[in-house]
């Protein structure tokens, strides 16, 4: 006969920390011939076999324990795993970046979610790829674009996509002076009308003065006799 008074050790595999699986599965092993007992959250130990899948568990902190009894009748210490079930998807938020027109062909986007989340980004219909905030895409052509970001939390839940719609416009607007004196005039406060593409704003100046915001039509302050120049420039919505 063989005297054996030592309790067997049990090796345990399975989720530890966050998981989005509400029925997690655990694998375990011990010495040859051992039988097992399992429990969840301090419930009484009951006979089980590896692999073992729990009943459906609510979101929150849980513990799984398993112990082995060898052929000599020795019961070893329980092997334990603490885990947290989280079935709620995180929320991805785009915190900054262009919406609408922009003149930046490589715009930068900042985004966030719950602590520990990781992110995937894409522009237009490209595949999602791992990214971090802030994210600057490769140079984009003029036109309409979308930026999407997904967040995945530590438990493996993935958010709905957050989207920013923007238009890259790197072309400067053309400005036309539609009316006003050119050449000689006896008007010391001449009026000029000008135009550009829809949504533009204007800056004007006379001679070498600083450019200042203006709108069409624009009448100058009184000017001395002599040669003068009137200039106007447009800034578009981008």
């Amino acid at each position: 006969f063989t005297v054996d008074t030592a309790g067997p050790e049990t090796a345990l595999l399975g989720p530890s920390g966050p998981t989005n699986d509400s029925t997690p599965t655990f694998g375990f092993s011990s010495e040859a011939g051992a039988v097992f007992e399992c429990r969840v959250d301090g419930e009484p130990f009951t006979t089980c076999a590896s692999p073992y899948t729990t009943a459906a568990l609510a979101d929150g902190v849980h513990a799984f324990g398993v112990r082995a009894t060898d052929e000599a009748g020795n019961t070893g210490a329980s092997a334990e795993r603490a885990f947290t079930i989280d079935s709620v998807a995180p929320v991805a938020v785009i915190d900054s970046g262009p919406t609408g027109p922009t003149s930046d062909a490589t715009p930068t986007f900042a985004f966030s979610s719950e602590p520990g989340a990781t992110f995937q980004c894409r522009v237009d219909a490209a595949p999602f790829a791992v990214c971090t905030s802030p994210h600057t895409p490769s140079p984009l052509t003029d036109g309409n674009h979308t930026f999407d970001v997904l967040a995945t939390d530590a438990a493996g839940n993935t958010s709905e996509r957050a989207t920013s719609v923007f238009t890259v416009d790197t072309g400067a607007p053309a400005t036309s002076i539609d009316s006003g004196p050119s050449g000689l005039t006896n008007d010391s406060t001449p009026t000029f009308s000008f135009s550009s593409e829809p949504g533009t704003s204007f800056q004007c100046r006379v001679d070498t003065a600083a450019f200042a915001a203006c709108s069409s039509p624009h009448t100058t302050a009184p000017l001395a006799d002599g040669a003068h120049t009137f200039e106007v420039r447009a800034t578009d919505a981008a």
Side-chain angles (χ1 to χ4, degrees):
F1 59 95
T2 302
V3 175
D4 175 6
T5 61
E9 294 183 357
T10 302
L12 174 60
L13 297 174
S16 176
T19 177
N20 61 3
D21 185 357
S22 63
T23 57
T25 297
F26 297 87
F28 38 88
S29 60
S30 188
E31 62 186 56
V35 294
F36 299 94
E37 294 177 301
C38 300
R39 70 177 179 183
V40 176
D41 295 338
E43 294 292 323
F45 280 101
T46 57
T47 301
C48 61
S50 179
Y52 177 82
T53 300
T54 72
L57 301 173
D59 279 20
V61 178
H62 298 276
F64 174 79
V66 58
R67 66 187 182 188
T69 299
D70 63 21
E71 292 181 318
N74 301 299
T75 298
S78 173
E80 301 282 339
R81 284 256 172 161
F83 58 100
T84 301
I85 294 177
D86 175 6
S87 62
V88 178
V91 176
V93 178
I94 297 176
D95 301 308
S96 65
T99 57
T102 177
S103 60
D104 187 356
T106 55
T108 296
F109 296 87
F111 39 88
S112 60
S113 188
E114 64 185 55
T118 57
F119 299 94
Q120 297 179 78
C121 300
R122 73 174 181 182
V123 174
D124 301 329
F128 278 100
V130 173
C131 60
T132 56
S133 179
H135 175 75
T136 301
S138 300
L140 301 173
T141 58
D142 278 21
N144 297 325
H145 298 280
T146 58
F147 173 77
D148 297 323
V149 61
L150 298 172
T152 300
D153 63 20
N157 302 298
T158 298
S159 70
E160 297 290 332
R161 67 184 180 186
T163 300
S164 180
V165 179
F166 60 101
T167 302
V168 174
D169 176 6
T170 59
T175 307
S176 299
I177 298 177
D178 303 313
S179 65
S182 176
L184 293 171
T185 178
N186 62 0
D187 185 355
S188 63
T189 56
T191 297
F192 297 87
S193 295
F194 38 88
S195 60
S196 186
E197 64 185 56
T200 54
S201 58
F202 297 95
Q203 292 179 310
C204 301
R205 73 174 178 181
V206 174
D207 301 330
T208 57
F211 277 100
C214 60
S215 58
S216 179
H218 175 76
T219 300
T220 72
L223 302 173
D225 282 15
H228 298 279
T229 57
F230 172 77
E231 296 178 87
V232 59
R233 63 187 183 189
T235 302
D236 64 21

